[in-house]
Amino acid sequence: SYDLTQPLSVSVALGQTARITCVGNNIGSKSVHWYQQMSGQAPVVVIYRDTNRPAGIPERFSGSNSGNTATLTISGAQGGDEADYYCQVWDSYSWVFGGGTKLTVL
Amino acid sequence: QVQLVQSGAEVKKPGASVKVSCKASGYDFANYDINWVRQAPGQGLQWMGWMNPNSANTGYAHQFQGRVSMTRDTSKTTAFMELTGLRSDDTAVYYCAINYFHFPYWGQGSMVAVS
């Protein structure tokens, strides 16, 4: 099965840039989607197909994907960005999620 | 607007079965696969499988094959996920989600406790 590895936690100072990585074998050849999950809420997509931002998602959210690493970047992180973030890909007829990263804004 | 409204919380005994519903509205139900994802307390997201509401075709994650069944009632635009042989580690929030190359819409989640 295909594995996606994310750091358990990332901390960022208020207003600084947070980067959350998602590592998988040749992940650059796949489409990566990113979800934000607030405590007690359903996940919400913040980036789809590597770099696309849905309507209503702030411009400070961006994504990249190359080689073995996909990255979600949050520029100018706000307190309201504190949440769990998950990457997702489709592989061998299955959806795969990363283990999730808890973002803390200091 | 697109909405997925799920059934309420359930408490089940070990060995029992649970059937969770997902009522869809605001779009053409037949056109988009419904996926099911679960999340155990304090844990990450785990994909369970998909169902095509038009054909009723399904695809299940390996770890759930033989225990999960995904069905639908097109007249009620409702999808169902049934899990049998419940164990304590099946305690989780179960979500339905529409597949449109990713999961843009999710239900609110249904808590299933096995105890």
Side-chain angles (χ1 to χ4, degrees):
Chain A
S1 62
Y2 190 79
D3 291 327
L4 294 173
T5 301
Q6 298 182 233
L8 280 176
S9 63
V10 167
S11 297
V12 62
L14 184 68
Q16 296 305 300
T17 296
R19 293 179 179 84
I20 298 172
T21 57
C22 176
V23 176
N25 184 36
N26 198 26
I27 196 174
S29 67
K30 304 180 184 299
S31 283
V32 179
H33 318 297
W34 290 92
Y35 298 86
Q36 176 193 67
Q37 187 180 33
M38 302 290 192
S39 180
Q41 305 283 321
V44 172
V45 59
V46 292
I47 294 289
Y48 65 96
R49 282 187 250 167
D50 297 340
T51 60
N52 296 276
R53 198 174 49 250
I57 299 301
E59 289 185 12
R60 63 178 181 273
F61 288 86
S62 63
S64 63
N65 185 19
S66 178
N68 291 323
T69 304
T71 303
L72 173 68
T73 301
I74 306 171
S75 304
Q78 305 297 307
D81 298 333
E82 280 206 343
D84 295 324
Y85 291 85
Y86 295 90
C87 55
Q88 178 199 35
V89 301
W90 173 254
D91 178 81
S92 299
Y93 306 103
S94 295
W95 284 104
V96 180
F97 288 97
T101 298
K102 182 177 182 60
L103 177 69
T104 300
V105 180
L106 304 171
Chain B
Q1 73 281 22
V2 175
Q3 278 195 307
L4 298 174
V5 178
Q6 298 184 223
S7 48
E10 305 246 23
V11 179
K12 296 292 184 180
K13 297 287 188 187
S17 300
V18 68
K19 192 170 186 176
V20 179
S21 67
C22 173
K23 165 72 175 174
S25 61
Y27 73 100
D28 189 341
F29 178 68
N31 280 359
Y32 302 98
D33 292 352
I34 294 282
N35 283 251
W36 291 88
V37 177
R38 78 176 186 180
Q39 186 171 38
Q43 302 300 308
L45 303 173
Q46 184 179 29
W47 179 74
M48 299 180 70
W50 61 268
M51 181 209 57
N52 181 287
N54 185 45
S55 65
N57 287 345
T58 56
Y60 302 137
H62 178 75
Q63 57 266 52
F64 296 104
Q65 287 181 1
R67 281 211 304 147
V68 71
S69 177
M70 296 176 187
T71 58
R72 90 292 192 226
D73 181 336
T74 53
S75 68
K76 296 181 179 177
T77 64
T78 299
F80 303 93
M81 186 284 299
E82 183 172 24
L83 190 62
T84 63
L86 290 170
R87 309 183 291 252
S88 59
D89 62 0
D90 291 317
T91 293
V93 176
Y94 290 77
Y95 294 100
C96 60
I98 295 171
N99 181 6
Y100 184 67
F101 304 105
H102 58 287
F103 295 174
Y105 300 102
W106 295 64
Q108 84 277 17
S110 299
M111 179 68 206
V112 175
V114 183
S115 175

